[in-house]
Amino acid sequence: MSTNVNLFSPVKLGSLELPNRIVMAPLTRNRAAAGNVPTEMNATYYTQRASAGLIISEATQVSPQGQGYPNTPGIHSQEQVAGWRLVTDAVHAHGGRIFLQLWHVGRISHPSLQPGGELPVAPSAIAPEGDASTLEGPKPYVTPRALETAEIPGIVEDYRKGAENALAAGFDGVEIHSANGYLLDQFLQNGTNKRTDEYGGSIENRARLLMEVTEAVVGVWGGERVGVRLSPSGTFNSMSDSNPGALFSYVAAALNRFNLAYLHLVDPRTDNHNTVENHTQGFPVGYFRPIFNGTLITAGGYDLELGNAVLASGDADLVAYGRLYIANPDLPERFAANAALNKPDRDTFYGGDEKGYIDYPSLELQTA
Ligand code: FNR
Protein backbone atom coordinates (compact mmCIF):
# COMPACT_ATOMS: atom_id res chain seq x y z
CA MET A 1 0.00 0.00 0.00
CA SER A 2 1.69 3.25 -1.05
CA THR A 3 0.91 6.53 0.69
CA ASN A 4 1.59 10.26 0.26
CA VAL A 5 3.14 10.40 3.68
CA ASN A 6 6.70 11.66 4.14
CA LEU A 7 8.97 12.52 7.07
CA PHE A 8 7.33 15.93 7.39
CA SER A 9 3.74 14.73 7.61
CA PRO A 10 2.36 15.36 11.10
CA VAL A 11 1.19 12.26 12.94
CA LYS A 12 -0.74 11.27 16.03
CA LEU A 13 1.21 9.00 18.34
CA GLY A 14 -1.13 7.71 21.01
CA SER A 15 -2.57 10.92 22.40
CA LEU A 16 0.34 13.12 21.24
CA GLU A 17 0.39 15.25 18.10
CA LEU A 18 3.81 15.16 16.48
CA PRO A 19 4.83 17.83 13.95
CA ASN A 20 6.94 15.35 11.94
CA ARG A 21 7.77 11.64 11.76
CA ILE A 22 11.45 11.97 12.55
CA VAL A 23 12.30 10.22 15.82
CA MET A 24 15.54 10.52 17.75
CA ALA A 25 16.47 6.88 18.45
CA PRO A 26 17.51 5.87 21.97
CA LEU A 27 21.27 6.42 22.25
CA THR A 28 23.44 5.46 25.20
CA ARG A 29 26.08 8.18 25.64
CA ASN A 30 27.51 7.37 29.12
CA ARG A 31 27.57 10.94 30.33
CA ALA A 32 25.53 10.86 33.54
CA ALA A 33 27.09 12.28 36.72
CA ALA A 34 27.93 10.46 39.97
CA GLY A 35 24.97 8.40 41.15
CA ASN A 36 24.01 7.95 37.48
CA VAL A 37 22.19 11.28 37.62
CA PRO A 38 21.41 13.33 34.47
CA THR A 39 22.94 16.81 34.33
CA GLU A 40 22.50 20.24 32.74
CA MET A 41 24.86 19.06 29.98
CA ASN A 42 22.50 16.18 29.22
CA ALA A 43 19.60 18.65 29.18
CA THR A 44 21.46 20.80 26.66
CA TYR A 45 22.08 17.77 24.42
CA TYR A 46 18.43 16.74 24.34
CA THR A 47 17.20 20.31 23.99
CA GLN A 48 19.40 20.81 20.92
CA ARG A 49 17.40 17.92 19.39
CA ALA A 50 13.92 19.15 20.42
CA SER A 51 12.68 19.64 16.84
CA ALA A 52 12.39 15.86 16.46
CA GLY A 53 8.81 14.62 16.24
CA LEU A 54 9.73 12.50 19.26
CA ILE A 55 12.90 12.04 21.31
CA ILE A 56 13.43 8.62 22.89
CA SER A 57 15.96 8.93 25.71
CA GLU A 58 19.05 6.82 26.06
CA ALA A 59 18.43 3.48 27.77
CA THR A 60 17.95 4.13 31.51
CA GLN A 61 18.27 1.43 34.15
CA VAL A 62 15.25 0.76 36.34
CA SER A 63 17.37 -0.59 39.20
CA PRO A 64 21.04 -0.72 40.27
CA GLN A 65 21.01 -4.37 39.14
CA GLY A 66 19.83 -3.23 35.69
CA GLN A 67 23.07 -1.34 34.97
CA GLY A 68 25.61 -2.72 32.52
CA TYR A 69 27.83 0.17 31.49
CA PRO A 70 29.57 3.03 33.31
CA ASN A 71 27.81 6.38 33.69
CA THR A 72 24.46 5.38 32.24
CA PRO A 73 21.56 7.22 33.85
CA GLY A 74 19.04 5.54 36.13
CA ILE A 75 15.40 6.16 37.01
CA HIS A 76 15.32 4.54 40.45
CA SER A 77 16.46 7.34 42.81
CA GLN A 78 15.02 10.75 43.67
CA GLU A 79 18.26 12.42 42.52
CA GLN A 80 17.85 10.77 39.12
CA VAL A 81 14.23 11.92 38.90
CA ALA A 82 15.39 15.48 39.66
CA GLY A 83 18.15 15.20 37.06
CA TRP A 84 15.72 13.99 34.41
CA ARG A 85 13.39 16.85 35.34
CA LEU A 86 16.08 19.24 34.08
CA VAL A 87 15.96 17.41 30.75
CA THR A 88 12.19 17.18 30.33
CA ASP A 89 11.57 20.80 31.38
CA ALA A 90 14.18 22.06 28.92
CA VAL A 91 12.91 19.88 26.04
CA HIS A 92 9.32 21.02 26.69
CA ALA A 93 10.37 24.66 26.88
CA HIS A 94 11.75 24.21 23.37
CA GLY A 95 8.53 22.65 22.08
CA GLY A 96 9.73 19.02 22.08
CA ARG A 97 8.40 15.69 23.32
CA ILE A 98 10.47 13.01 25.06
CA PHE A 99 9.90 9.39 26.13
CA LEU A 100 12.20 7.59 28.58
CA GLN A 101 13.59 4.19 27.57
CA LEU A 102 13.25 1.73 30.50
CA TRP A 103 16.18 -0.69 30.70
CA HIS A 104 17.50 -3.73 32.53
CA VAL A 105 20.66 -5.16 30.94
CA GLY A 106 20.41 -8.66 32.46
CA ARG A 107 23.63 -10.55 31.72
CA ILE A 108 25.24 -7.67 29.77
CA SER A 109 26.95 -6.39 32.90
CA HIS A 110 29.86 -7.15 35.20
CA PRO A 111 30.17 -7.68 38.99
CA SER A 112 32.10 -4.40 39.23
CA LEU A 113 28.92 -2.59 38.11
CA GLN A 114 26.55 -4.61 40.29
CA PRO A 115 25.43 -3.82 43.85
CA GLY A 116 27.69 -5.68 46.29
CA GLY A 117 29.85 -6.94 43.43
CA GLU A 118 27.31 -9.68 42.74
CA LEU A 119 26.89 -11.63 39.53
CA PRO A 120 24.65 -10.10 36.88
CA VAL A 121 21.29 -11.87 36.51
CA ALA A 122 19.73 -13.49 33.45
CA PRO A 123 17.06 -16.04 32.51
CA SER A 124 19.74 -18.76 32.43
CA ALA A 125 23.38 -19.09 33.46
CA ILE A 126 24.87 -18.57 29.99
CA ALA A 127 27.64 -16.02 29.42
CA PRO A 128 27.65 -13.76 26.38
CA GLU A 129 30.76 -13.68 24.23
CA GLY A 130 33.15 -10.77 24.48
CA ASP A 131 33.93 -8.12 27.05
CA ALA A 132 31.85 -6.06 29.43
CA SER A 133 32.47 -2.31 29.60
CA THR A 134 33.62 -1.55 33.13
CA LEU A 135 35.02 1.51 34.88
CA GLU A 136 38.45 -0.14 34.57
CA GLY A 137 38.04 -0.87 30.86
CA PRO A 138 36.94 -4.03 29.01
CA LYS A 139 36.73 -7.26 31.06
CA PRO A 140 35.43 -10.66 29.89
CA TYR A 141 31.74 -11.26 30.54
CA VAL A 142 31.09 -13.58 33.47
CA THR A 143 28.50 -16.34 33.59
CA PRO A 144 25.37 -14.70 35.03
CA ARG A 145 23.17 -16.10 37.77
CA ALA A 146 19.78 -17.46 36.64
CA LEU A 147 16.94 -15.55 38.29
CA GLU A 148 14.82 -17.58 40.71
CA THR A 149 11.15 -17.70 39.74
CA ALA A 150 10.36 -15.95 43.04
CA GLU A 151 12.55 -12.98 42.03
CA ILE A 152 10.61 -12.21 38.86
CA PRO A 153 7.81 -10.20 40.48
CA GLY A 154 10.57 -7.95 41.87
CA ILE A 155 11.88 -7.32 38.34
CA VAL A 156 8.37 -6.41 37.14
CA GLU A 157 8.06 -4.10 40.14
CA ASP A 158 11.36 -2.40 39.23
CA TYR A 159 9.91 -1.56 35.79
CA ARG A 160 6.68 -0.34 37.36
CA LYS A 161 8.57 1.96 39.74
CA GLY A 162 10.75 3.15 36.87
CA ALA A 163 7.59 4.02 34.93
CA GLU A 164 6.21 5.87 37.95
CA ASN A 165 9.47 7.77 38.38
CA ALA A 166 9.45 8.67 34.68
CA LEU A 167 5.99 10.14 35.17
CA ALA A 168 7.26 12.14 38.16
CA ALA A 169 10.24 13.32 36.09
CA GLY A 170 7.92 14.91 33.51
CA PHE A 171 8.36 12.58 30.52
CA ASP A 172 5.66 12.32 27.85
CA GLY A 173 5.76 8.53 27.89
CA VAL A 174 8.07 5.52 28.14
CA GLU A 175 9.54 2.93 25.83
CA ILE A 176 10.17 -0.58 27.17
CA HIS A 177 13.58 -1.73 25.90
CA SER A 178 13.03 -5.33 24.81
CA ALA A 179 15.68 -5.25 22.06
CA ASN A 180 19.40 -5.69 21.46
CA GLY A 181 20.07 -8.60 23.80
CA TYR A 182 19.17 -7.03 27.14
CA LEU A 183 17.11 -8.71 29.89
CA LEU A 184 13.67 -8.83 28.23
CA ASP A 185 15.17 -9.96 24.91
CA GLN A 186 17.21 -12.59 26.83
CA PHE A 187 13.92 -14.00 28.12
CA LEU A 188 12.29 -13.92 24.66
CA GLN A 189 14.96 -15.78 22.70
CA ASN A 190 15.77 -19.42 23.34
CA GLY A 191 19.52 -19.08 22.77
CA THR A 192 19.58 -17.34 26.18
CA ASN A 193 16.44 -18.71 27.85
CA LYS A 194 16.69 -22.38 28.90
CA ARG A 195 14.28 -22.09 31.84
CA THR A 196 11.91 -24.84 32.81
CA ASP A 197 9.46 -22.69 34.83
CA GLU A 198 6.57 -20.66 33.38
CA TYR A 199 9.07 -18.09 32.00
CA GLY A 200 10.82 -20.57 29.70
CA GLY A 201 10.10 -23.23 27.12
CA SER A 202 7.16 -22.28 24.90
CA ILE A 203 7.06 -18.96 23.09
CA GLU A 204 4.16 -17.92 25.28
CA ASN A 205 6.22 -18.65 28.39
CA ARG A 206 9.29 -16.81 27.09
CA ALA A 207 7.15 -13.77 26.26
CA ARG A 208 5.52 -13.80 29.71
CA LEU A 209 8.01 -11.44 31.38
CA LEU A 210 7.67 -8.82 28.61
CA MET A 211 3.88 -9.05 28.85
CA GLU A 212 3.93 -8.70 32.64
CA VAL A 213 6.30 -5.73 32.42
CA THR A 214 4.15 -4.11 29.71
CA GLU A 215 1.03 -4.62 31.79
CA ALA A 216 2.69 -3.02 34.83
CA VAL A 217 4.00 -0.04 32.83
CA VAL A 218 0.68 0.45 31.03
CA GLY A 219 -0.94 0.40 34.47
CA VAL A 220 1.07 3.53 35.30
CA TRP A 221 0.89 5.38 31.99
CA GLY A 222 -2.01 4.01 29.94
CA GLY A 223 -1.23 2.22 26.70
CA GLU A 224 -1.22 5.34 24.55
CA ARG A 225 1.92 6.64 26.31
CA VAL A 226 3.89 3.39 26.12
CA GLY A 227 6.01 1.96 23.32
CA VAL A 228 7.95 -1.31 23.07
CA ARG A 229 11.22 -1.82 21.19
CA LEU A 230 12.16 -5.17 19.63
CA SER A 231 15.06 -6.30 17.45
CA PRO A 232 13.78 -9.46 15.75
CA SER A 233 16.77 -9.73 13.41
CA GLY A 234 19.54 -8.72 15.80
CA THR A 235 22.46 -10.87 16.88
CA PHE A 236 24.17 -8.16 18.95
CA ASN A 237 25.10 -9.32 22.50
CA SER A 238 25.32 -13.00 21.39
CA MET A 239 21.60 -13.38 20.71
CA SER A 240 19.93 -16.21 18.82
CA ASP A 241 16.59 -17.95 18.55
CA SER A 242 15.64 -21.19 16.81
CA ASN A 243 12.54 -19.62 15.21
CA PRO A 244 12.59 -15.83 15.40
CA GLY A 245 9.74 -15.47 12.88
CA ALA A 246 7.34 -17.40 15.09
CA LEU A 247 8.61 -15.78 18.28
CA PHE A 248 8.40 -12.15 17.18
CA SER A 249 5.10 -12.66 15.32
CA TYR A 250 3.64 -13.98 18.56
CA VAL A 251 5.07 -11.08 20.57
CA ALA A 252 3.83 -8.39 18.15
CA ALA A 253 0.35 -9.93 18.10
CA ALA A 254 0.26 -10.37 21.90
CA LEU A 255 1.14 -6.68 22.38
CA ASN A 256 -2.01 -5.66 20.46
CA ARG A 257 -4.11 -5.98 23.59
CA PHE A 258 -2.34 -3.05 25.27
CA ASN A 259 -3.25 -0.44 22.60
CA LEU A 260 0.29 0.87 22.73
CA ALA A 261 1.47 4.21 21.35
CA TYR A 262 3.77 2.24 19.06
CA LEU A 263 5.91 -0.78 18.38
CA HIS A 264 9.52 0.15 17.54
CA LEU A 265 11.51 -2.29 15.41
CA VAL A 266 15.22 -2.35 14.73
CA ASP A 267 15.64 -3.11 11.04
CA PRO A 268 17.75 -6.05 9.85
CA ARG A 269 19.92 -3.70 7.80
CA THR A 270 21.92 -2.88 10.91
CA ASP A 271 23.62 -5.97 12.25
CA ASN A 272 24.44 -4.22 15.49
CA HIS A 273 24.78 -0.72 16.85
CA ASN A 274 27.63 0.32 14.68
CA THR A 275 27.50 -1.19 11.23
CA VAL A 276 25.10 -1.09 8.35
CA GLU A 277 25.59 -4.17 6.27
CA ASN A 278 22.49 -4.19 4.09
CA HIS A 279 21.33 -7.53 5.34
CA THR A 280 18.54 -8.91 3.25
CA GLN A 281 17.66 -11.65 5.70
CA GLY A 282 15.59 -11.06 8.78
CA PHE A 283 12.41 -9.22 9.56
CA PRO A 284 12.00 -5.75 8.09
CA VAL A 285 9.31 -3.51 9.56
CA GLY A 286 6.79 -4.45 6.84
CA TYR A 287 6.76 -8.03 8.14
CA PHE A 288 4.93 -6.76 11.23
CA ARG A 289 2.36 -4.57 9.46
CA PRO A 290 -0.27 -7.30 9.13
CA ILE A 291 0.44 -8.52 12.68
CA PHE A 292 0.56 -5.37 14.81
CA ASN A 293 -2.58 -3.19 14.80
CA GLY A 294 -0.94 0.09 15.81
CA THR A 295 1.77 2.57 14.90
CA LEU A 296 5.15 1.20 13.75
CA ILE A 297 8.49 2.96 14.15
CA THR A 298 11.45 1.60 12.21
CA ALA A 299 15.15 2.25 12.90
CA GLY A 300 18.48 1.25 11.48
CA GLY A 301 20.53 2.68 8.65
CA TYR A 302 17.99 5.21 7.39
CA ASP A 303 18.81 8.48 5.65
CA LEU A 304 16.43 11.07 4.16
CA GLU A 305 15.68 9.09 1.03
CA LEU A 306 15.27 5.68 2.69
CA GLY A 307 13.17 7.23 5.44
CA ASN A 308 10.75 8.82 2.99
CA ALA A 309 10.66 5.59 0.98
CA VAL A 310 9.68 3.39 3.93
CA LEU A 311 6.91 5.83 4.87
CA ALA A 312 5.65 6.04 1.29
CA SER A 313 5.58 2.24 1.08
CA GLY A 314 3.21 2.18 4.05
CA ASP A 315 5.43 -0.29 5.90
CA ALA A 316 6.23 2.12 8.77
CA ASP A 317 4.65 5.24 10.29
CA LEU A 318 7.73 6.93 11.75
CA VAL A 319 11.49 6.58 11.28
CA ALA A 320 14.06 6.71 14.09
CA TYR A 321 17.58 7.97 13.44
CA GLY A 322 20.49 7.08 15.69
CA ARG A 323 23.95 8.00 14.50
CA LEU A 324 22.69 10.84 12.30
CA TYR A 325 21.10 12.36 15.40
CA ILE A 326 24.34 12.14 17.34
CA ALA A 327 25.98 14.41 14.76
CA ASN A 328 23.05 16.54 13.61
CA PRO A 329 21.07 18.18 16.41
CA ASP A 330 18.82 19.88 13.84
CA LEU A 331 18.23 16.80 11.69
CA PRO A 332 14.66 17.75 10.60
CA GLU A 333 15.82 21.22 9.48
CA ARG A 334 18.74 19.68 7.58
CA PHE A 335 16.49 17.12 5.91
CA ALA A 336 13.97 19.85 5.00
CA ALA A 337 16.73 21.93 3.40
CA ASN A 338 18.37 18.87 1.84
CA ALA A 339 21.51 20.20 3.51
CA ALA A 340 24.82 18.43 4.07
CA LEU A 341 25.05 16.35 7.26
CA ASN A 342 27.76 16.41 9.92
CA LYS A 343 29.61 13.10 10.26
CA PRO A 344 29.34 11.31 13.61
CA ASP A 345 32.62 10.81 15.48
CA ARG A 346 32.62 7.25 16.82
CA ASP A 347 35.41 7.94 19.33
CA THR A 348 33.12 10.19 21.35
CA PHE A 349 29.96 8.04 21.21
CA TYR A 350 30.34 6.43 24.63
CA GLY A 351 31.49 8.61 27.52
CA GLY A 352 33.54 11.76 27.78
CA ASP A 353 32.54 15.38 28.02
CA GLU A 354 30.97 18.07 25.84
CA LYS A 355 33.17 17.13 22.90
CA GLY A 356 31.24 15.02 20.42
CA TYR A 357 28.14 15.54 22.54
CA ILE A 358 26.84 19.11 22.53
CA ASP A 359 29.30 20.70 20.11
CA TYR A 360 27.97 19.42 16.76
CA PRO A 361 26.94 22.62 14.96
CA SER A 362 23.43 23.35 13.74
CA LEU A 363 22.91 24.46 10.17
CA GLU A 364 22.19 27.95 11.40
CA LEU A 365 25.56 28.16 13.15
CA GLN A 366 27.36 26.69 10.18
CA THR A 367 25.89 29.11 7.66
CA ALA A 368 25.98 32.20 9.91
C1 FNR B 1 22.57 2.76 20.11
N1 FNR B 1 21.37 2.04 20.06
C2 FNR B 1 20.58 1.93 21.19
N2 FNR B 1 19.39 1.26 21.15
C3 FNR B 1 18.57 1.24 22.21
O1 FNR B 1 17.48 0.67 22.12
N3 FNR B 1 18.94 1.86 23.38
C4 FNR B 1 20.12 2.51 23.52
O2 FNR B 1 20.40 3.09 24.58
C5 FNR B 1 21.00 2.52 22.41
N4 FNR B 1 22.23 3.11 22.48
C6 FNR B 1 22.99 3.30 21.36
C7 FNR B 1 24.16 4.06 21.42
C8 FNR B 1 24.91 4.32 20.28
C9 FNR B 1 26.11 5.20 20.37
C10 FNR B 1 24.49 3.77 19.04
C11 FNR B 1 25.25 4.06 17.78
C12 FNR B 1 23.33 3.01 18.98
C13 FNR B 1 20.82 1.63 18.75
C14 FNR B 1 20.15 2.82 18.07
O3 FNR B 1 18.97 3.19 18.75
C15 FNR B 1 19.76 2.51 16.59
O4 FNR B 1 18.87 1.44 16.55
C16 FNR B 1 21.00 2.20 15.78
O5 FNR B 1 21.99 3.21 15.94
C17 FNR B 1 20.70 2.08 14.29
O6 FNR B 1 20.19 3.30 13.77
P1 FNR B 1 21.14 4.28 12.89
O7 FNR B 1 22.26 4.74 13.75
O8 FNR B 1 21.60 3.48 11.71
O9 FNR B 1 20.21 5.41 12.50
Side-chain angles (χ1 to χ4, degrees):
M1 184 193 70
S2 79
T3 73
N4 293 325
V5 168
N6 69 28
L7 288 166
F8 297 98
S9 313
V11 64
K12 230 174 154 233
L13 188 77
S15 53
L16 289 173
E17 306 274 349
L18 312 189
N20 62 58
R21 294 172 185 241
I22 300 168
V23 175
M24 178 179 171
L27 292 160
T28 291
R29 305 301 309 274
N30 310 76
R31 283 167 168 88
N36 302 322
V37 173
T39 66
E40 286 286 0
M41 179 176 77
N42 304 141
T44 300
Y45 163 75
Y46 283 110
T47 304
Q48 289 172 340
R49 288 154 180 80
S51 65
L54 178 70
I55 295 172
I56 303 168
S57 84
E58 63 208 277
T60 300
Q61 59 265 6
V62 295
S63 63
Q65 184 193 63
Q67 183 177 1
Y69 303 87
N71 308 116
T72 54
I75 190 73
H76 51 83
S77 77
Q78 285 319 300
E79 293 75 20
Q80 291 161 353
V81 170
W84 277 120
R85 179 52 88 170
L86 300 173
V87 174
T88 61
D89 280 350
V91 167
H92 291 149
H94 285 77
R97 293 141 300 273
I98 181 166
F99 275 34
L100 177 91
Q101 193 184 46
L102 296 167
W103 195 27
H104 189 308
V105 297
R107 66 179 186 161
I108 305 300
S109 186
H110 187 270
S112 65
L113 291 163
Q114 290 290 305
E118 299 216 3
L119 288 176
V121 298
S124 301
I126 303 169
E129 284 166 28
D131 290 330
S133 309
T134 80
L135 283 163
E136 299 90 39
K139 290 190 179 167
Y141 282 118
V142 299
T143 301
R145 177 177 71 78
L147 282 163
E148 303 287 340
T149 310
E151 290 177 279
I152 295 196
I155 301 278
V156 176
E157 178 61 13
D158 288 341
Y159 279 92
R160 196 193 60 74
K161 277 201 201 120
E164 238 171 47
N165 286 337
L167 193 60
F171 283 92
D172 298 292
V174 290
E175 176 176 287
I176 298 167
H177 193 350
S178 187
N180 300 343
Y182 297 107
L183 184 70
L184 297 175
D185 201 18
Q186 291 160 29
F187 269 81
L188 290 179
Q189 302 204 42
N190 60 16
T192 38
N193 184 343
K194 308 288 184 193
R195 300 178 73 88
T196 53
D197 63 2
E198 65 265 38
Y199 294 92
S202 68
I203 285 176
E204 188 183 355
N205 279 358
R206 285 184 272 131
R208 190 178 308 281
L209 179 59
L210 172 59
M211 297 305 148
E212 289 181 357
V213 165
T214 305
E215 186 156 356
V217 170
V218 165
V220 174
W221 277 93
E224 62 189 11
R225 297 295 181 120
V226 177
V228 171
R229 192 173 216 217
L230 301 171
S231 52
S233 318
T235 55
F236 181 63
N237 283 331
S238 313
M239 293 306 291
S240 67
D241 190 82
S242 59
N243 191 349
L247 169 65
F248 286 99
S249 297
Y250 172 87
V251 170
L255 289 171
N256 278 327
R257 73 178 148 106
F258 298 109
N259 292 317
L260 297 176
Y262 63 84
L263 180 62
H264 185 177
L265 296 155
V266 182
D267 198 89
R269 276 177 304 113
T270 47
D271 189 40
N272 63 34
H273 286 28
N274 296 312
T275 53
V276 175
E277 297 177 353
N278 280 314
H279 283 208
T280 48
Q281 289 184 331
F283 305 93
V285 63
Y287 179 89
F288 295 93
R289 192 52 118 183
I291 304 172
F292 185 71
N293 297 335
T295 298
L296 292 175
I297 304 181
T298 185
Y302 286 96
D303 58 14
L304 171 61
E305 205 183 326
L306 290 168
N308 277 326
V310 75
L311 296 180
S313 76
D315 283 352
D317 303 293
L318 296 98
V319 183
Y321 293 89
R323 287 161 294 178
L324 288 185
Y325 245 120
I326 289 178
N328 297 279
D330 54 347
L331 193 61
E333 289 79 0
R334 282 177 191 262
F335 278 170
N338 218 345
L341 299 175
N342 299 320
K343 293 248 175 314
D345 166 29
R346 193 175 295 264
D347 293 343
T348 49
F349 276 7
Y350 304 104
D353 52 20
E354 301 189 351
K355 190 172 168 309
Y357 190 58
I358 55 172
D359 61 351
Y360 285 107
S362 66
L363 202 53
E364 209 174 36
L365 277 177
Q366 265 171 342
T367 50

